[in-house]
Amino acid sequence: MIEPDPAIAAIESDAVDCDADFSLPGWTYHDAEFHAAEMERVIRPSWQIVCHDSDIPAPGDFQTIDYAGESVIVIRGDDGVVRAFTNVCRHRAMRLVEGPAGCAKKLVCPYHAWTYGSDGSLQGVPMKADYPALRLQDNGLAPVALETWQGFYFVCLSPAGFPTPAEMMAPFEAEIAPYRFAEMHLLAPVRHRPRAVNWKTVGDNYSDNLHIPVAHDGLSRLVGDSYRIEAHGWVDRLSGEVAASEKQTFWERFYAAHLPRVEHLPDEAQHRWLYFKLWPNMAFDIYADQIDFMQWLPTGPTSCLLREVAYALPDERREMKLARYANWRINRVVNAEDTWLISLVQAGMESRSFTTGPIATSEVCLRSFARKIRALIPQARFPHSPAAGWSKE
């Protein structure tokens, strides 16, 4: 049992955040030392989504994820058990596999041919007698913490007591269950989209409700004034009710009017667009026709990688295929609008004129996120960056 970090306990307490009415300061969105502190205190101890159970159906099937200076393999063993390991040979640190996915009955290092089983055990070493100190049983692949929720696999590099995805989403299990996540299959290949912005800029925008009627005309035409946000501990819940109107474009009106009924969903879910943002940098977009997960992985103080994948239950109805296409057309526009927004916000964060901005009481998700960051990295309360070396004190 991992003892939670005291900062995590403080987040879950009822302690008052004296800076609750203000945003995180601009310097925290581009400062190299703050970025390094976030990697250690936020990203490495947090859970990161990798793939769905259906992505690795057979023994030897694997998926990888690269983040925080590590590459992780999630692989199904010969015994059917799914495990996670760092993608690093124990001999000379060579990466064992390249690319986001594959299948390997054995993991053979391409440098010196050290061979590992799908359970991570070291099983073969050329010229083994030439290594007098080598013990095979002590040199298996380094394991990585692995959790599963609703058919999805998550890894954590340095567990420190953050709640697991299942724990974060426990209050919403009844709402999620009818969608049958665990039975879904890949709808479209994983997309990797680099962005020249701090990872928090992406997350803030995802949970921001005030910009919807201002900057997303299409989404606003689709859900009207029904868009709502809620902060629930480690999860943000966002939703909007889709309805047809004469002001909509062709694909917006088509989706709202012709999305076929999904019999296993309750009436209230048939035309609901539902979003869950999980701490700290991943989200599920849930529609009656499909679901997506999105993740924004930090790659530097002012860069990140968006990783997106779509899943759905098998449905060969022509109207469902058209609805999914309409969904993509609508969200393609929303994504383009968000890309423009976050690029300019990031530029503003790097202006010397910006310190912190006020947060409205209705911006509950931004308040919740900023509170967590300030608890984990107290220097985030400073309007300007402290002298170099502060994170080591």
Side-chain angles (χ1 to χ4, degrees):
M1 178 101 180
I2 297 169
E3 288 297 326
D5 184 298
I8 297 175
I11 290 170
E12 296 179 332
S13 74
D14 295 328
V16 174
D17 181 5
C18 61
D19 294 306
D21 292 330
F22 297 93
S23 68
L24 295 173
W27 71 273
T28 66
Y29 288 77
H30 59 86
D31 182 82
E33 188 168 354
F34 194 86
H35 170 75
E38 284 182 324
M39 294 303 99
E40 290 301 316
R41 304 183 202 180
V42 178
I43 300 300
R44 288 186 66 91
S46 67
W47 294 93
Q48 300 294 329
I49 192 167
V50 181
C51 64
H52 189 270
D53 191 63
S54 63
D55 295 325
I56 47 174
D61 287 345
F62 66 83
Q63 296 258 325
T64 65
I65 183 171
D66 295 352
Y67 72 103
E70 300 284 0
S71 180
V72 178
I73 305 171
V74 173
I75 185 169
R76 189 176 298 277
D78 294 336
D79 56 2
V81 176
V82 176
R83 302 175 178 87
F85 307 99
T86 54
N87 183 16
V88 179
C89 180
R90 297 296 299 276
H91 178 216
R92 296 294 297 161
M94 179 68 178
R95 286 208 172 173
L96 297 170
V97 300
E98 292 184 282
C103 183
K105 297 301 181 183
K106 302 284 185 182
L107 297 170
V108 181
C109 178
Y111 199 13
H112 300 102
W114 282 37
T115 301
Y116 302 86
S118 58
D119 62 354
S121 61
L122 179 58
Q123 298 181 350
V125 176
M127 302 173 59
K128 180 178 172 231
D130 207 27
Y131 300 86
L134 176 65
R135 286 167 49 88
L136 295 184
Q137 61 269 35
D138 295 338
N139 286 274
L141 297 178
V144 175
L146 181 74
E147 289 282 344
T148 183
W149 173 75
Q150 294 284 353
F152 288 96
Y153 291 105
F154 303 77
V155 296
C156 181
L157 297 173
S158 306
F162 283 137
T164 65
E167 291 168 338
M168 285 191 276
M169 290 298 292
F172 309 103
E173 288 297 336
E175 184 175 25
I176 292 295
Y179 289 92
R180 295 160 44 185
F181 282 13
E183 301 172 39
M184 291 185 171
H185 291 267
L186 192 69
L187 186 62
V190 60
R191 290 178 295 172
H192 293 97
R193 299 189 294 157
R195 291 289 180 264
V197 302
N198 182 271
W199 69 281
K200 298 190 297 301
T201 304
V202 178
D204 290 349
N205 181 75
Y206 188 93
S207 294
D208 182 304
N209 63 315
L210 297 182
H211 82 286
I212 302 297
V214 179
H216 291 312
D217 291 344
L219 184 57
S220 296
R221 288 191 296 266
L222 202 65
V223 301
D225 60 359
S226 68
Y227 199 82
R228 298 289 183 271
I229 66 168
E230 307 161 21
H232 295 271
W234 299 91
V235 175
D236 296 342
R237 181 188 181 277
L238 307 85
S239 66
E241 309 300 325
V242 173
S245 79
E246 292 302 316
K247 295 181 180 180
Q248 291 168 343
T249 64
F250 174 80
W251 286 113
E252 293 162 2
R253 189 166 57 254
F254 180 92
Y255 184 88
H258 299 292
L259 175 66
R261 183 172 179 82
V262 180
E263 292 300 332
H264 59 270
L265 293 179
D267 289 344
E268 63 269 20
Q270 295 293 330
H271 286 84
R272 175 174 293 162
W273 279 20
L274 180 62
Y275 310 88
F276 289 98
K277 178 193 168 193
L278 283 66
W279 169 264
N281 62 325
M282 55 188 175
F284 284 91
D285 304 342
I286 304 171
Y287 317 101
D289 51 295
Q290 67 185 66
I291 70 168
D292 313 322
F293 80 65
M294 186 170 79
Q295 181 179 39
W296 39 101
L297 295 166
T299 55
T302 58
S303 64
C304 65
L305 181 69
L306 270 59
R307 187 169 172 263
E308 301 170 306
V309 195
Y311 294 88
L313 292 170
D315 191 330
E316 295 303 315
R317 290 179 291 175
R318 181 173 180 270
E319 57 266 40
M320 180 58 81
K321 292 180 180 179
L322 286 171
R324 288 171 177 167
Y325 178 73
N327 183 318
W328 175 78
R329 289 290 297 258
I330 295 165
N331 277 303
R332 181 178 67 171
V333 174
V334 175
N335 289 334
E337 292 165 344
D338 279 332
T339 299
W340 175 74
L341 290 168
I342 62 176
S343 297
L344 295 183
V345 168
Q346 181 63 40
M349 289 293 184
E350 297 179 37
S351 168
R352 293 185 183 183
S353 69
F354 185 77
T355 52
T356 62
I359 297 184
T361 55
S362 63
E363 296 182 278
V364 292
C365 297
L366 294 183
R367 284 171 170 258
S368 176
F369 181 79
R371 179 175 183 265
K372 294 177 178 64
I373 294 294
R374 285 191 285 257
L376 295 166
I377 310 176
Q379 289 80 3
R381 300 182 184 278
F382 299 170
H384 302 283
S385 59
W390 58 265
S391 62
K392 306 301 182 184
E393 295 176 357

